[in-house]
């Protein structure tokens, strides 16, 4: 039985030394890529070839390679995380591509996510937005209730868990024509706003997070829904609506 034939591909990859430098696409050929390999494994092979040729490897972000950390942020053939749905780039396999295909690989395109190098972007704006929201503080004097003693409707608990599934990959921002982070911020607001433990500081949290989001330079939502479609965790647009309701209520209460 003959061995399975690998893919022969042309890769057009964005190369950029740093945020201050002008970037450009560079073309690479790669051969005999197994259809069973992941997209990141294909990039590993490319980098090994480049190193062997005495060339600088392509910088790209990755960590867990299990669809959890959200670091593998790549725009592939015009789609965040590539041609499959409900996955991160590390979960994308080469069987989704055809032999002889040209694959265009870019970093996230957003003013709030400046390029660090090549395909790596700085997503620390997300960290600053979350930090602005603070945390759930409790009285630790010994009079606190066990969390399991606080009744939470199952529907609310389910929605909070769905919102908390956001991994902060930034696909929503990269996909949105306005570079909006409202799906991300909506998810982070919702995971607390739906639970009684998060209600105490809810108004302060939503006001601070929305303010931080605007200061970071993210655009506004125009309800096209592209963010939900390309989100690898399927975060619902309902979270944006909930964030807007929380925000308006906080503004009214603030006076």
């Amino acid at each position: 039985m003959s061995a399975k034939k690998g893919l022969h591909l042309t890769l057009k990859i964005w190369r950029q030394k740093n945020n201050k430098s002008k970037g450009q696409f560079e073309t690479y050929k790669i051969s005999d890529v197994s259809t069973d390999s992941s997209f990141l494994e294909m990039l590993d092979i490319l980098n090994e070839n480049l190193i062997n040729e005495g060339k600088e490897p392509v910088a790209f972000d990755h960590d867990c390679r299990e669809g959890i950390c959200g670091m593998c942020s790549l725009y592939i053939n015009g789609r965040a995380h590539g041609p499959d749905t409900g996955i991160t780039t590390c979960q994308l396999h080469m069987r989704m591509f055809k032999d002889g295909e040209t694959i265009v690989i870019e970093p996230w395109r957003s003013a709030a996510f400046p390029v660090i190098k090549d395909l790596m972007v700085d997503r620390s704006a997300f960290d600053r937005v979350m930090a602005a929201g603070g945390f759930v503080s409790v009285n630790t004097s010994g009079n606190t209730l066990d969390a399991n003693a606080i009744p939470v409707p199952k529907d609310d608990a389910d929605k909070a868990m769905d919102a908390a599934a956001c991994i902060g990959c930034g696909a929503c921002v990269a996909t949105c024509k306005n570079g909006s982070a409202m799906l991300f911020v909506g998810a982070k607001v919702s995971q607390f706003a739906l639970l009684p433990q998060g209600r105490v500081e809810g108004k302060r949290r939503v006001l601070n997070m929305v303010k931080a989001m605007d200061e970071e330079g993210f655009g506004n939502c125009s309800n096209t829904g592209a963010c939900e479609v390309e989100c690898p965790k399927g975060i619902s647009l309902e979270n944006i609506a909930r964030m807007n309701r929380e925000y308006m209520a906080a503004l009214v209460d603030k006076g």
Side-chain angles (χ1 to χ4, degrees):
M1 191 170 104
S2 60
K4 192 174 181 180
K5 181 183 177 183
L7 300 174
H8 298 266
L9 303 166
T10 299
L11 307 177
K12 292 185 67 176
I13 300 178
W14 184 260
R15 303 301 305 264
Q16 187 171 340
K17 189 174 182 180
N18 53 52
N19 186 242
K20 304 299 181 183
S21 303
K22 185 177 180 181
Q24 70 281 323
F25 282 104
E26 293 188 8
T27 302
Y28 304 94
K29 299 285 186 180
I30 187 168
S31 301
D32 202 26
V33 177
S34 170
T35 54
D36 294 327
S37 62
S38 73
F39 197 86
L40 296 189
E41 287 172 335
M42 181 273 294
L43 290 179
D44 289 336
I45 295 169
L46 171 67
N47 278 343
E48 186 175 350
N49 293 342
L50 291 175
I51 291 170
N52 291 336
E53 295 169 5
K55 299 177 181 178
E56 187 174 9
V58 176
F60 64 94
D61 237 336
H62 61 94
D63 190 5
C64 74
R65 300 200 178 197
E66 295 179 348
I68 299 170
C69 71
M71 292 184 69
C72 55
S73 47
L74 295 180
Y75 219 68
I76 303 166
N77 284 351
R79 285 191 67 180
H81 295 303
D84 210 346
T85 55
I87 61 160
T88 53
T89 300
C90 63
Q91 296 172 302
L92 177 66
H93 285 80
M94 297 311 296
R95 56 180 170 267
M96 297 296 296
F97 301 93
K98 298 177 182 178
D99 188 40
E101 188 171 347
T102 296
I103 305 175
V104 180
I105 310 169
E106 305 169 73
W108 285 166
R109 300 293 193 188
S110 171
F113 290 159
V115 172
I116 298 173
K117 184 177 182 180
D118 295 338
L119 303 175
M120 297 176 65
V121 299
D122 182 356
R123 291 175 299 153
S124 58
F126 272 6
D127 296 329
R128 291 188 289 273
V129 171
M130 285 194 290
F135 49 88
V136 175
S137 62
V138 294
N139 182 351
T140 56
S141 64
N143 297 319
T144 54
L145 287 171
D146 187 302
N148 291 330
I150 303 174
V152 179
K154 186 177 186 305
D155 185 53
D156 289 347
D158 288 344
K159 288 178 179 178
M161 288 298 291
D162 289 344
C166 170
I167 57 176
C169 68
C172 51
V173 175
T175 300
C176 178
K177 61 186 179 182
N178 300 324
S180 172
M182 290 186 73
L183 189 67
F184 166 78
V185 179
K188 297 307 176 185
V189 167
S190 291
Q191 70 186 53
F192 293 115
L194 285 160
L195 301 177
Q197 294 89 341
R199 295 302 304 167
V200 178
E201 297 157 318
K203 290 182 172 61
R204 176 196 58 78
R205 180 179 300 110
V206 70
L207 290 173
N208 288 349
M209 291 185 77
V210 170
K211 181 175 182 287
M213 174 181 69
D214 291 340
E215 289 175 347
E216 292 293 341
F218 292 107
N220 202 1
C221 176
S222 53
N223 296 311
T224 57
C227 54
E228 180 181 334
V229 171
E230 299 297 355
C231 174
K233 299 303 177 181
I235 303 298
S236 172
L237 287 174
E238 290 180 3
N239 291 294
I240 296 178
R242 183 176 297 106
M243 178 188 70
N244 287 336
R245 291 195 297 270
E246 293 284 326
Y247 183 73
M248 292 305 298
L251 281 180
V252 171
D253 186 69
K254 185 180 178 182

